[in-house]
Amino acid sequence: MSQSYNPKVIEPKWQKTWLDEKAFAATNDFTKPKFYALVEFPYPSGQGLHVGHPRPYTALDIVSRKRRMQGYNVLYPMGWDAFGLPTENFAIKNKIHPRLVTKNNVARFKEQLQSLGFSFDWDREINTTDPNYYHWTQWIFLKLFNAGLAYKTEMPINWCTSCKVGLANEEVVNGVCERCGAPVVRKVKSQWMLKITEYADKLIDDLDGVDYIERVKVSQKNWIGRSEGAEVDFTLAGKDEKLTVYTTRPDTLFGVTYMVMSPEHPYIDKFKADIKNYDEIMAYRDEAAKKSDFERSELAKDKTGVCIDGLTAVNPVTGKEIPIWISDYVLMTYGTGAIMAVPAHDSRDWEFAKKFNMPIIEVVAGGRDVQEEVFEAKTGTMVNSDFLNGMDFATAKRTMIDYLEEKGIGRSKKNFKLRDWVFSRQRYWGEPIPIIHCDKCGYVPLKEEDLPLVLPEVESYMPTDNGESPLAAMEDWVNVKCPCCGGPAKRETDTMPQWAGSSWYFLRYTDPDNDNALASPEALKYWMPVDWYNGGMEHTTLHLLYSRFWHKFLYDQGIVPCAEPYSKRTSHGMILGSNGEKMSKSRGNVVNPDDVVNEFGADTLRTYEMFIGAFDLAASWSEEGVKGCRRFLERVWKLQDMIVDGEGFSEELEVKMHQTIKKVSSDFEAMKFNTAIAAMMSLVNDFYKAGRITKAEFKTFIILLNPVAPHITEELWNIAGFEGRLYNAQWPEHDDDKTVEATIKLVAQINGKTRAVIDAPADIDKDSAIALAKEAVSARLTGTIIKEIYVPGKLVNIVMK
RNA sequence: GCGGAUGUGGCGGAAUGGUAGACGCAGCAGACUCAAAAUCUGCCGGGGGCGACUCCGUGAGGGUUCGAGUCCCUCUAUCCGCACCA
């Protein structure tokens, strides 16, 4: 009899062995077929690992382990995305240096990850806060700066009143700071920006060439928000100046009955002298400025506005004079900050027109009465539109744009929702921006040989009340000589956002110790692109977009060998508490992975998280489900007592063995881990029914299970005395001919309803099958047979009237 | 409002257009045990029938098909993004 299954002993033992033997180190043999699997590196928070982390890590661990056994040179790395606010806030509160906080958190995370038996290549571990790493983050920034893609500008930023830090749009959720929940207000500051908008088209178009799950592509496209339309110049009545608007519906130009400018539009000041109700307009502008973006959209339904008295525009196609309004439903940050209003065919304009009694002119026929209901559909026929009359939407749009361009009063134009990336943070715990400001020479980049610009030690990490970074107080560090003219100059004191380090980390894994380049061209050429990248849906519009942008830039610079960083992107579902709600301390439904490992073992946790349900859907935690998986592993453990001698697979299980090899192999690749495990459970049930297992069956089975439960299977391999290590074993292959049973269950249906199931030889021909089926259901064959359908190997359907 | 996803037993979930409910959990029964736990074996959607059987059943309603959980249309509920982007 075997000893009892004790994961507490065998799991640490094998974890140590794998490390000692460098079992999962990727080799630099660039002639072997490669497989680069990537999971998002974690932010090492003070809370430690969450049960959500192992789900994606186990998934790609399974694929990586399988691919290694299939002969691939696999790179499956791990590292730490360690700059960031929570660490800094913790450091401030507890008066510990963020470097030490990070060190402690990383140590804890690493221990936890190792206790789960992931086959990460720990020789390639990286840390974004390591100067040898952020050396190259800064280097990329210099490249961006020198290419004109990094610039500094005064702009209103989202200012968190609690963190005292500027936030990217993406970090503001429902008007509050994503991290701390405090209100976010607008504040004008000089900020470093990255021109991600320069790559907006490529970021959309190149999605066609990559294998991302559809919802990721859709989200990225929506976030970038490309729209194609035209700019149209409206002359201001009695002036030479023009008011330019952006529209996606130039076809409706004949239906324009008024115009609207954003309250912040510069024309309000420019034409102050002409505007008779200037005070009223200014009052409206102040009112709008007081509202946060959130409040503006909260009040979206109820339109407000003021008509400008003394300034009107001329519709360039009708020649009619029309009023200009200001309203906060028009945003200064999109298009030109002004719109032409077509109330008949735009719901916002329609609401506004109804409220302020502006005329509504139908120019697209096909809807109901436009005085009663807006008609926005891009179908129907143009009316009341002179030379466009009778055309459909597409023709009218094209014709109008041609007309505008010919007359020089408009032009075809694309617009994007995507904005440039606000790249500075007034914080300590981030990469210093390697720029020096000289009054004479302007912004001067550091020389490459002066990198890394190391984050200096400061006494206090508190951001200052005036919104400067803590680095600003360090005069010794700040005041330097200009590298250009030698005169007095100051260092940039803002640091980079957390997204910086994660925008290129997958490149560093290919050659993590390189001191001369971010990675060698050879390593990049061999390993890139990442073959399979799995991560959370929450990173679809931020990290994924930012890193694609940087990669495309590096590609244009000739530094990386491919235009896209990731060939394939998948996403995992969240793990919810047992009550079906998101796990959180306040809800009291948090499960700690350490506890699960202690009580049941890492293999049980891994098996459970893969068995819990479809990988891409959210799943609720169940303690009973965990126990069930432990029970399964116990049954696997006891197979060792049922081993019998003999060559090959037993006759009764041969088909099932081949079927299982086939199913497990393909299900792992398709991320259908739950059904792969179900198939292995079913096979174990069959071994128990047989009461024995042959040596070949045992060996094959533990190889199949190994990627899911690596420790128990490695131990069983060792106990059974198989040669070498299981992690080095060869993945089994199935024989398609042997996945088919000699006899089948032939289903006999009448009018699609099953009436009998008959045993029949697998290779039965159509006529015999139909004859057999008819015999089985003869009692029911009372009507006229119209049709007989035979699905080979499956069923006969007799259609009867 | 727009976009995306989901809806199948008591529960988690399976089903290339071909026997709906694999596998697991919970439950029930039996074996083992002085007993319990653990383990092993069997049963396990609902109605009707002693029974061989039979009818109903995949959120609702239509449709396509010899045949629909699966494909098409309409609706509904829940979840997740985005939100005046002209």
Side-chain angles (χ1 to χ4, degrees), chain A residues 657-667 734 736 739:
Chain A
M657 287 299 298
H658 283 277
Q659 285 172 342
T660 308
I661 295 167
K662 183 178 183 179
K663 179 153 185 66
V664 169
S665 302
S666 61
D667 278 1
H734 72 275
D736 255 330
T739 59

Side-chain angles (χ1 to χ4, degrees), chain A residues 374-627:
Chain A
V374 66
F375 179 60
E376 291 186 297
K378 288 172 184 172
T379 56
T381 312
M382 303 308 297
V383 291
N384 299 325
S385 296
D386 196 347
F387 58 89
L388 298 181
N389 284 342
M391 294 180 183
D392 62 20
F393 161 75
T395 315
K397 184 170 174 177
R398 207 177 332 112
T399 308
M400 180 55 91
I401 292 174
D402 289 347
Y403 174 83
L404 292 171
E405 286 183 338
E406 198 180 302
K407 296 271 175 189
I409 50 171
R411 61 217 68 87
S412 160
K413 170 86 181 168
K414 258 192 276 186
N415 257 322
F416 298 91
K417 289 186 200 174
L418 185 71
R419 302 295 142 79
D420 277 344
W421 176 6
V422 180
F423 198 68
S424 0
R425 295 299 124 94
Q426 294 70 47
R427 278 283 172 165
Y428 174 74
W429 194 231
E431 301 89 344
I433 293 175
I435 296 284
I436 288 168
H437 181 251
C438 166
D439 284 339
K440 256 195 277 178
C441 312
Y443 294 109
V444 182
L446 251 58
K447 296 196 180 93
E448 280 187 25
E449 57 264 34
D450 292 334
L451 296 180
L453 173 58
V454 177
L455 192 58
E457 299 287 321
V458 293
E459 279 170 32
S460 162
Y461 332 109
M462 267 307 265
T464 57
D465 288 339
N466 63 7
E468 294 293 322
S469 151
L471 295 176
M474 295 200 63
E475 298 201 354
D476 290 353
W477 186 77
V478 170
N479 293 309
V480 289
K481 279 187 188 151
C482 172
C484 200
C485 71
K490 282 181 188 298
R491 283 192 198 282
E492 173 60 58
T493 58
D494 283 359
T495 52
M496 299 186 197
Q498 202 191 340
W499 307 111
S502 59
S503 291
W504 71 281
Y505 74 114
F506 47 90
L507 300 174
R508 189 64 175 171
Y509 283 136
T510 65
D511 192 11
D513 300 317
N514 196 317
D515 289 330
N516 305 313
L518 54 76
S520 76
E522 296 76 30
L524 290 171
K525 187 158 190 299
Y526 174 69
W527 287 112
M528 292 300 293
V530 172
D531 293 287
W532 190 337
Y533 189 20
N534 185 83
M537 278 307 287
E538 70 276 18
H539 291 129
T540 302
T541 48
L542 311 175
H543 160 65
L544 205 59
L545 212 51
Y546 292 154
S547 58
R548 289 182 62 223
F549 160 47
W550 276 32
H551 195 82
K552 288 183 170 303
F553 167 70
L554 292 172
Y555 177 65
D556 288 346
Q557 294 282 309
I559 294 158
V560 296
C562 46
E564 282 287 336
Y566 321 117
S567 302
K568 171 173 176 163
R569 169 79 178 188
T570 54
S571 228
H572 54 271
M574 262 203 292
I575 295 206
L576 306 171
S578 51
N579 53 0
E581 292 173 15
K582 201 171 165 176
M583 281 192 190
S584 72
K585 271 188 204 158
S586 58
R587 291 190 179 93
N589 58 356
V590 176
V591 177
N592 181 342
D594 290 346
D595 296 341
V596 183
V597 171
N598 266 327
E599 197 175 345
F600 301 100
D603 283 335
T604 298
L605 177 63
R606 294 168 61 110
T607 306
Y608 174 64
E609 292 212 8
M610 292 299 99
F611 187 60
I612 193 167
F615 181 69
D616 57 337
L617 298 180
S620 303
W621 191 263
S622 155
E623 178 88 15
E624 298 306 321
V626 178
K627 283 184 194 159

Side-chain angles (χ1 to χ4, degrees), chain A residues 689-711:
Chain A
K689 267 178 208 139
R692 61 187 184 80
I693 180 171
T694 70
K695 206 141 185 147
E697 286 163 354
F698 184 71
K699 188 171 180 176
T700 301
F701 174 74
I702 61 174
I703 297 174
L704 290 179
L705 182 62
N706 174 261
V708 178
H711 311 87

Side-chain angles (χ1 to χ4, degrees), chain A residues 354-369:
Chain A
K354 275 287 163 193
K355 179 156 179 184
F356 294 104
N357 281 317
M358 307 298 296
I360 300 171
I361 301 173
E362 179 181 62
V363 289
V364 186
R368 281 178 249 199
D369 181 1

Side-chain angles (χ1 to χ4, degrees), chain A residues 3-12 600 630 634 637 715:
Chain A
Q3 297 206 314
S4 64
Y5 171 49
N6 188 354
K8 272 194 177 153
V9 174
I10 64 172
E11 290 182 351
F600 301 100
R630 168 67 187 246
E634 297 273 5
W637 181 255
E715 178 73 11

Side-chain angles (χ1 to χ4, degrees), chain A residues 19 51 159 345 467 572 613:
Chain A
L19 278 179
V51 286
W159 180 259
H345 306 291
H572 54 271

Side-chain angles (χ1 to χ4, degrees), chain A residues 714-732:
Chain A
E714 191 83 67
E715 178 73 11
L716 287 169
W717 181 274
N718 197 44
I719 293 171
F722 294 130
E723 209 174 306
R725 294 283 187 233
L726 174 47
Y727 67 73
N728 270 332
Q730 182 153 10
W731 190 257

